[in-house]
Amino acid sequence: MEALRDVDPARIGAHALLARLGAGGMGQVYLGRSPGGRLVAVKVIRDEITGHPEALARFRREAETVRAVRSAYTANLIDASLAAPPFWLATEYVAGPTLSHAVAERGALPAQTCRRLFAALAEGLASVHAYGVTHRDLKPQNVILGAQGPQLIDFGIARGVGDTALTQDGQAPGTPGYTAPEVLLGAEAGAAADVFALGATLAYAATGRPPFGTGVAATVGYRAVHEPVDVAGVEPGLAALIEACVAKDPAARPTPAEVIGRCAVRDALVDDPVYPGLGALGEAVPLHEMRTQGPGTPPGGGYTPTQHAAAVPQGRGRRGVWVAAGVALAVVGAVAVWKLPPGGGSGADDRTGAQGGNPSHGQGPSQGPSSGGQGAASPAAQVPAGPPTYIRQTAPNLDDYNPIHRACTRPPEEQGILEFQTSMPRTPDDPQLKSGKVQIGYRTKNALPDVPPYYVAVVVKPQHEVDENGRSTNVTDNRQLGFVAKARDLYEGDELEWKYATYPDDFSMQLNGKTVKAPPLSQDPGGWTVVFRHATSDTDHKSFLCEGFDSGV
């Protein structure tokens, strides 16, 4: 859960907004409050896809599915606006962490807790299937551990019997590692595919590990089709049930009712010694006062279009003013102005323009301890004396681009730059990729007077790790930093001009004290990860945007 940003609306429909709950491929999700005080989750479709007929059809289908399915295991639809932009829907808000978050924080769950959770989720699936609906994207991130039991969320790609298939670029629905083999091979996702996802989800809960390992989507998908699920160390009876659910042949999988029977639970999930404590891993509902829209916002709240990586770095060094997306926001009658405090200011909200600190010593946007990035920042290191040469690896690099979903598998380590733009080829048919060279461009659209340097290092990572000679190894779970271009100040020269780095010409890697030149794209065809990192020294750098491209086969 994140605080609202100035680019967020104060209201959607009749619902006042309290916080950001998260974002997905379809749009932004907010925590809201109804006029009567009821907490709701408000999902707003991204403005850049409102003109896409298929995206709108998906969103309307999601609303229709949530409206139709009335279950103790799903959040009920409260309100929706599907006739004209902004398109949104509001459902009951269920407090509690996702299963993914709970396991990441606590570790693998005990076998008996897994059995009780298994049975509850199977009952939820049976309830959904009774309405003629398949979820098609069950995974740990889409299970909320509510106080009374788990809730299934995100029916964005769910389908009812007789619905027309909606796909994007021919990709299979679902998430790699949780998508059934028959779906990956081109068949329709039926009820048995949901059972496969259920088994994979419980494998994650029981082991704390991805059920078919990590890596690029194609690698994980291959394992799901051809290799056994990872249940190493799981109690044998539970492991056998998981393996039955993820059988390669959908006809061999148990039904949800059979799963419930094999779990043989005799008491309530809420009486489990572990489950109630997992709720404490969730986030408290914010209690701050509701903010109001700025001058000129239409009555009823208006809507602010989403921006690419539109996060604001906190605590900029010298005072500057960022005028955010003026043209886009003028459509709804409001222009967001970011007031940034002098260097050293660290008040409760750096966007208030509060005075503080010594204006002669600027600080970079990353404050406080490292959040698991490549290096921990110290206050003195926030303003580098000059650009780092080539950043070095200090921790495993977990950034991984999924070419099927065209998204990275983990969030950035620090908030990005407002209106930061990138340019690169994306698909194998692009002439650049066919030529073997990739020009990666970036810039900011904001003119910022008198600001300290913000050094950006571009990192390109192939699917496989490389050896000291630059040759690909058989390690597909690549945790090397990747090949790096020299860091450049985002604001040098004309800050609005594009800055470019060309792969492989401008990229290299430091490996065991040796400089390894970047190999050609043809050496490792498939998905390549491109990460933009904010560097304050050669060992202190954090990702703020992850993208990628598919070089083909």
Side-chain angles (χ1 to χ4, degrees):
M1 189 180 298
E2 299 178 8
L4 292 173
R5 304 171 186 169
D6 282 8
V7 293
D8 291 321
R11 312 181 70 85
I12 290 291
H15 307 287
L17 301 188
L18 295 169
R20 286 178 164 225
L21 291 176
M26 289 290 288
Q28 180 71 45
V29 183
Y30 297 98
L31 175 65
R33 188 172 62 196
S34 73
R38 185 175 189 176
L39 291 177
V40 294
V42 184
K43 184 173 185 177
V44 185
I45 193 170
R46 295 170 57 181
D47 61 286
E48 54 262 49
I49 60 175
T50 56
H52 196 298
E54 184 177 281
L56 292 180
R58 285 178 183 274
F59 195 68
R60 291 189 174 110
R61 173 182 285 172
E62 179 175 7
E64 291 162 1
T65 300
V66 176
R67 192 194 311 273
V69 176
R70 310 289 291 185
S71 168
Y73 297 94
T74 60
N76 291 326
L77 185 71
I78 302 298
D79 196 4
S81 176
L82 306 174
F87 302 99
W88 57 269
L89 61 86
T91 63
E92 295 175 303
Y93 172 69
V94 181
T98 65
L99 176 60
S100 176
H101 177 74
V103 172
E105 290 291 316
R106 184 199 181 282
L109 304 181
Q112 195 55 35
T113 302
C114 286
R115 281 193 177 85
R116 294 186 177 107
L117 183 60
F118 219 152
L121 288 173
E123 186 176 352
L125 276 185
S127 175
V128 170
H129 293 171
Y131 285 89
V133 172
T134 50
H135 188 285
R136 304 208 308 165
D137 199 20
L138 176 60
K139 56 185 176 182
Q141 296 93 322
N142 284 343
V143 174
I144 293 181
L145 303 180
Q148 299 303 312
Q151 296 272 306
L152 301 173
I153 63 170
D154 199 349
F155 284 80
I157 61 173
R159 284 187 60 195
V161 175
D163 280 345
T164 301
L166 294 174
T167 60
Q168 291 182 342
D169 301 322
Q171 71 185 47
T175 301
Y178 301 91
T179 303
E182 67 273 17
V183 179
L184 293 171
L185 296 174
E188 288 296 324
D194 278 352
V195 173
F196 179 95
L198 174 64
T201 296
L202 264 295
Y204 171 79
T207 66
R209 302 184 297 269
F212 293 95
T214 60
V216 297
T219 300
V220 176
Y222 178 88
R223 296 191 195 114
V225 173
H226 298 287
E227 298 179 6
V229 67
D230 176 10
V231 287
V234 178
E235 186 270 325
L238 177 60
L241 179 54
I242 290 172
E243 288 170 334
C245 288
V246 298
K248 307 305 183 187
D249 180 3
R253 297 172 201 151
T255 65
E258 290 169 339
V259 171
I260 295 170
R262 291 180 61 173
C263 288
V265 297
R266 294 181 175 84
D267 47 16
L269 181 60
V270 294
D271 294 328
D272 182 88
V274 172
Y275 183 84
L278 299 177
L281 301 174
E283 298 179 278
V285 175
L287 300 177
H288 59 275
E289 292 184 4
M290 298 302 304
R291 61 181 185 86
T292 57
Q293 287 287 62
T297 301
Y303 171 61
T304 301
T306 57
Q307 302 294 329
H308 178 65
V312 173
Q314 301 296 301
R316 271 303 230 175
R318 303 166 191 164
R319 175 170 299 175
V321 177
W322 286 13
V323 180
V327 174
L329 294 178
V331 175
V332 295
V335 175
V337 179
W338 303 90
K339 295 181 179 179
L340 305 173
S346 57
D349 186 348
D350 284 340
R351 291 170 294 180
T352 62
Q355 300 293 324
N358 184 348
S360 65
H361 298 289
Q363 280 188 308
S366 177
Q367 304 289 332
S370 169
S371 58
Q374 296 294 320
S378 63
Q382 293 304 305
V383 179
T389 50
Y390 286 89
I391 61 174
R392 297 188 289 113
Q393 179 158 5
T394 60
N397 180 12
L398 303 181
D399 294 310
D400 187 19
Y401 175 73
N402 183 326
I404 296 178
H405 292 272
R406 298 186 182 180
C408 291
T409 55
R410 74 163 184 162
E413 294 166 313
E414 75 173 26
Q415 300 219 333
I417 298 298
L418 187 68
E419 287 274 76
F420 181 84
Q421 294 184 318
T422 64
S423 171
M424 73 183 77
R426 309 285 178 180
T427 56
D429 57 355
D430 188 282
Q432 278 196 59
L433 290 174
K434 289 182 178 179
S435 73
K437 291 186 183 292
V438 177
Q439 189 178 63
I440 301 169
Y442 60 93
R443 71 163 185 168
T444 176
K445 288 180 65 179
N446 307 105
L448 303 180
D450 193 27
V451 293
Y454 189 94
Y455 294 113
V456 176
V458 183
V459 179
V460 176
K461 188 175 82 168
Q463 299 178 69
H464 295 76
E465 292 190 357
V466 300
D467 60 21
E468 294 181 1
N469 296 311
R471 292 190 295 261
S472 296
T473 69
N474 59 1
V475 179
T476 57
D477 184 13
N478 186 355
R479 299 198 172 191
Q480 292 175 333
L481 175 61
F483 296 93
V484 183
K486 186 174 181 178
R488 296 182 62 182
D489 180 11
L490 184 64
Y491 305 118
E492 71 180 7
D494 184 345
E495 57 206 60
L496 302 187
E497 287 187 354
W498 288 90
K499 297 171 176 63
Y500 294 98
T502 301
Y503 185 91
D505 300 357
D506 300 330
F507 290 79
S508 64
M509 178 195 300
Q510 296 297 316
L511 189 59
N512 299 327
K514 181 178 180 181
T515 300
V516 180
K517 294 296 292 181
L521 297 177
S522 57
Q523 176 174 294
D524 198 353
W528 290 65
T529 304
V530 179
V531 181
F532 296 85
R533 305 191 72 91
H534 170 215
T536 54
S537 73
D538 61 341
T539 57
D540 179 13
H541 43 89
K542 295 181 181 179
S543 64
F544 65 88
L545 180 64
C546 177
E547 298 185 317
F549 57 85
D550 184 356
S551 66
V553 296

